[in-house]
Amino acid sequence: MRYFMLFLLLMGWAYGLAQTPKFQVADHIWADSLGNHRVVVSVKNPLEGAEVQVNWRRRDKDAVGKVLIITDSRGIPVKNILIRHIDRECGDFIFQPISGAGNYYVYYMPWSGHKWEGGFEGDYLHHQPIAEPDWTNRIELNKDGLQSAHVVAIQARTAFDSFYPMEVVAKETEVKELIDKYNDPFLLFTEDRKHPIKMFDDLPFRWIQRGPDSTFSGVADRNEYYVFQVGVFASHRELNDLKVVYKNTPFPVTCFNLEGVDSKGRSFKKNEDVKKGRVQPLWFGADIPITAKAGHYDFDIIIKDNKGFAKTINVRLEIKNQILADRGDSELWRLSRLRWLNSRLGIDENNTRQYSPLVVKGNAIKAKTGSVYLNKYGLPRSILIGQKSLLAAPIGFNIQTANPSGQIKGTPVHFTHLASGMVKWESSWDNASYSIQYKGSMESDGYL
């Protein structure tokens, strides 16, 4: 009996693994109104019905309210679909394989509306159409006419649409088992820059498979700004005022979530709290100099909360001999541009290297992008980009009053500040009825 129970447990474990489908990107795109995700299933026999049981591990919490659209390999839609159970973790449904044996496609996030660059208006389709009663009765009465369809894969329409691997959710039971196994207030999970942590209320299934981390390994080049992450999962209680301590860092390392430079160029530090059950990704940047020698570099990142509990990640970076001239900025996947968040370039009044210093001659201001010619009041009388004038006429004010008070007099435009990246000017005019003061500035990038 003991061996029989062990056999059942092993079979159940193997069955659970077999039910985790492959995630892949389709070889070709389909109509976007069908949604960006589908399950590919294979039917072996031309029977009355095929049952699909899929662990799709969806991120959307309202999966039960979305319509399923099923087509055969030619795109012909299946009319008869019987939903047995659907939630975000798994789905169980029966459909009529209208074209006999072969592959069928289950689109589980179809929508209706209008897309444009950067967004869309509309909604997912709701209210699953009711199957024909005669077919439903035949399915219920004739179990021999029902077969199990094989789940081949879960496909995304494009690589950009893919949920794999960071948006494939762990099941509630799996998360509970993880929490019960580790009694620590929080658990740490490391990720390379290629796998940004996107879910804050769920754990990725890959974290369940892998378990918590105490180490991280990465590969970088000389002169690269190398970015990686540590996900903090508040497994047992709320965490307050997370802090990071570095030990034996061979070059500067920063945590963008906890420290940085604001828009005024001032350094700041930030408190970070994590509610129980949530995930907080901490993004780190390692500033690898061009003088770094190829080899392995080890250092520690210690993460702790205000109650004194701490965990350590041992980081090992393998530095290759290759030099990245632009720090990695031309290859967006490296995310090296994150360091721009802490840049002070352009905050002072000096021109940046992409732009020439401003040149002032008389009332003319010349920049790399064009020239501005001011009138005596300090308003542009002409703006030239190359040889093309942007103004149809000089800019001016036509001031009308009920009681004209004579000619306006004042001080013509004069420059009050001259720097390579910014110039400022002003003028003032008045008469018996009113006074006018003009103030203007221009920056080396053309901002006026």
Side-chain angles (χ1 to χ4, degrees):
M1 181 67 179
R2 188 170 49 184
Y3 296 108
F4 178 70
M5 290 300 296
L6 178 60
F7 171 77
L8 290 179
L9 287 172
L10 291 174
M11 287 298 293
W13 177 78
Y15 176 79
L17 289 182
Q19 295 307 297
T20 301
K22 295 187 298 183
F23 289 84
Q24 56 188 216
V25 177
D27 294 333
H28 61 279
I29 63 174
W30 55 80
D32 63 1
S33 61
L34 291 171
N36 296 327
H37 307 275
R38 71 184 184 185
V39 182
V40 183
V41 299
S42 175
V43 174
K44 290 185 177 181
N45 303 305
L47 300 180
E48 189 70 47
E51 182 175 11
V52 179
Q53 294 178 322
V54 55
N55 285 334
W56 42 31
R57 300 176 176 274
R58 295 162 59 167
R59 182 176 181 179
D60 51 324
K61 298 182 186 296
D62 58 346
V64 67
K66 294 185 175 74
V67 165
L68 298 184
I69 293 179
I70 302 178
T71 72
D72 66 6
S73 59
R74 297 170 295 172
I76 299 174
V78 173
K79 293 182 179 179
N80 288 324
I81 303 172
L82 178 62
I83 306 296
R84 286 191 163 179
H85 175 81
I86 282 182
D87 59 31
R88 64 195 301 246
E89 295 183 357
C90 59
D92 185 355
F93 49 90
I94 301 170
F95 72 94
Q96 185 179 26
I98 55 175
S99 300
N103 282 351
Y104 290 80
Y105 302 101
V106 182
Y107 301 91
Y108 56 90
M109 299 182 76
W111 66 284
S112 176
H114 171 69
K115 278 187 178 181
W116 65 86
E117 187 175 354
F120 80 101
E121 61 181 12
D123 195 5
Y124 294 106
L125 298 184
H126 303 282
H127 309 297
Q128 184 74 37
I130 299 175
E132 295 174 353
D134 289 345
W135 176 78
T136 302
N137 290 335
R138 292 196 302 271
I139 288 297
E140 296 296 341
L141 294 174
N142 182 17
K143 300 301 182 182
D144 293 334
L146 185 62
Q147 62 185 309
S148 293
H150 170 63
V151 176
V152 177
I154 292 180
Q155 293 184 338
R157 186 169 177 266
T158 68
F160 179 80
D161 300 315
S162 178
F163 289 145
Y164 183 81
M166 297 307 294
E167 293 175 276
V168 177
V169 303
K171 295 183 176 182
E172 286 186 16
T173 55
E174 296 166 341
V175 175
K176 185 179 183 304
E177 290 174 1
L178 178 75
I179 293 173
D180 291 343
K181 184 176 180 180
Y182 300 93
N183 293 321
D184 298 335
F186 62 85
L187 304 175
L188 302 181
F189 300 88
T190 60
E191 291 290 351
D192 184 65
R193 60 234 171 141
K194 293 181 179 179
H195 297 135
I197 299 171
K198 300 179 180 180
M199 300 191 298
F200 310 130
D201 295 314
D202 290 297
L203 299 188
F205 179 48
R206 69 188 258 125
W207 289 2
I208 300 296
Q209 295 173 303
R210 195 176 74 201
D213 294 314
S214 59
T215 62
F216 173 78
S217 298
V219 179
D221 295 313
R222 295 164 60 198
N223 200 45
E224 179 176 1
Y225 194 87
Y226 182 80
V227 172
F228 61 98
Q229 312 156 84
V230 177
V232 181
F233 173 44
S235 51
H236 281 273
R237 61 170 169 81
E238 181 175 350
L239 309 176
N240 297 114
D241 195 17
L242 287 182
K243 300 293 185 184
V244 171
V245 177
Y246 306 101
K247 187 176 180 181
N248 300 324
T249 52
F251 21 73
V253 179
T254 189
C255 178
F256 293 100
N257 303 80
L258 302 179
E259 59 191 350
V261 176
D262 67 14
S263 60
K264 302 297 183 182
R266 300 170 300 199
S267 298
F268 70 89
K269 292 188 180 295
K270 180 177 175 290
N271 290 336
E272 193 69 67
D273 302 330
V274 189
K275 291 184 178 180
K276 180 182 176 181
R278 284 182 59 85
V279 174
Q280 175 60 56
L282 298 180
W283 284 87
F284 292 88
D287 193 357
I288 302 169
I290 195 171
T291 55
K293 295 181 179 180
H296 292 93
Y297 294 82
D298 295 314
F299 60 94
D300 292 334
I301 293 177
I302 304 167
I303 299 173
K304 58 183 180 180
D305 67 358
N306 67 342
K307 293 187 177 181
F309 183 81
K311 275 185 169 293
T312 300
I313 295 292
N314 176 254
V315 179
R316 164 163 283 202
L317 293 184
E318 179 185 355
I319 309 300
K320 299 291 188 180
N321 200 42
Q322 176 180 332
I323 295 175
L324 293 183
D326 63 354
R327 313 300 310 276
D329 295 346
S330 61
E331 299 175 271
L332 299 183
W333 65 268
R334 293 182 185 270
L335 301 182
S336 60
R337 297 186 185 189
L338 276 178
R339 77 185 189 285
W340 294 1
L341 291 171
N342 295 334
S343 174
R344 290 185 171 87
L345 289 177
I347 293 178
D348 58 25
E349 295 179 346
N350 297 320
N351 62 296
T352 55
R353 63 183 181 183
Q354 292 89 347
Y355 297 99
S356 304
L358 293 170
V359 176
V360 176
K361 188 174 183 179
N363 284 1
I365 309 168
K366 294 187 177 182
K368 181 179 181 179
T369 54
S371 300
V372 176
Y373 298 87
L374 305 176
N375 60 22
K376 66 178 182 178
Y377 301 109
L379 295 172
R381 62 179 174 82
S382 178
I383 300 177
L384 296 180
I385 303 297
Q387 298 300 315
K388 185 176 181 179
S389 178
L390 301 186
L391 302 180
I395 296 176
F397 291 111
N398 184 7
I399 302 174
Q400 297 180 348
T401 63
N403 299 309
S405 302
Q407 185 178 4
I408 189 171
K409 298 180 180 180
T411 304
V413 62
H414 60 282
F415 288 90
T416 59
H417 182 83
L418 297 174
S420 64
M422 175 184 286
V423 297
K424 299 179 181 179
W425 62 90
E426 62 181 45
S427 69
S428 57
W429 303 81
D430 59 54
N431 63 15
S433 299
Y434 57 84
S435 63
I436 302 173
Q437 186 175 37
Y438 297 97
K439 290 185 178 181
S441 65
M442 180 173 168
E443 299 180 22
S444 58
D445 60 0
Y447 181 77
L448 183 60

